[in-house]
Amino acid sequence: MKKGNSGGILYFLLGLYTLLISWHYNHSVLLLIIHYIFWPAYLLYEILTGNLSHGLWKSIPLSYFN
């Protein structure tokens, strides 16, 4: 039986989420490219430093759709 591709989809969505966070804080295409290459480390950095606390983890992506 063939397994689903949910791990690949989750990996892609977390990378896209990291790009939204990067653009929200930096507004730089160069940093956007660098953060996409190293997105797991950048996402972990943002979580550990508290930049996504107090509801920012959900208000940052929502700000692009308002």
Side-chain angles (χ1 to χ4, degrees), residues 21-22 25-26 35 40-54 56-57 60:
I21 293 168
S22 175
Y25 285 124
N26 302 310
H35 290 154
Y42 179 69
L43 185 59
L44 186 63
Y45 169 77
E46 290 292 329
I47 291 170
L48 292 177
T49 57
N51 289 339
L52 299 178
S53 61
H54 304 294
L56 280 176
W57 65 272
I60 290 173

Side-chain angles (χ1 to χ4, degrees), residues 4 8 10 14 19 23 27 29 35 38-39 51 53 55-56 61-63:
L10 181 63
L14 285 174
L19 292 179
W23 186 258
H27 294 286
V29 175
H35 290 154
F38 301 108
W39 76 261
N51 289 339
S53 61
L56 280 176
L62 289 176
S63 69

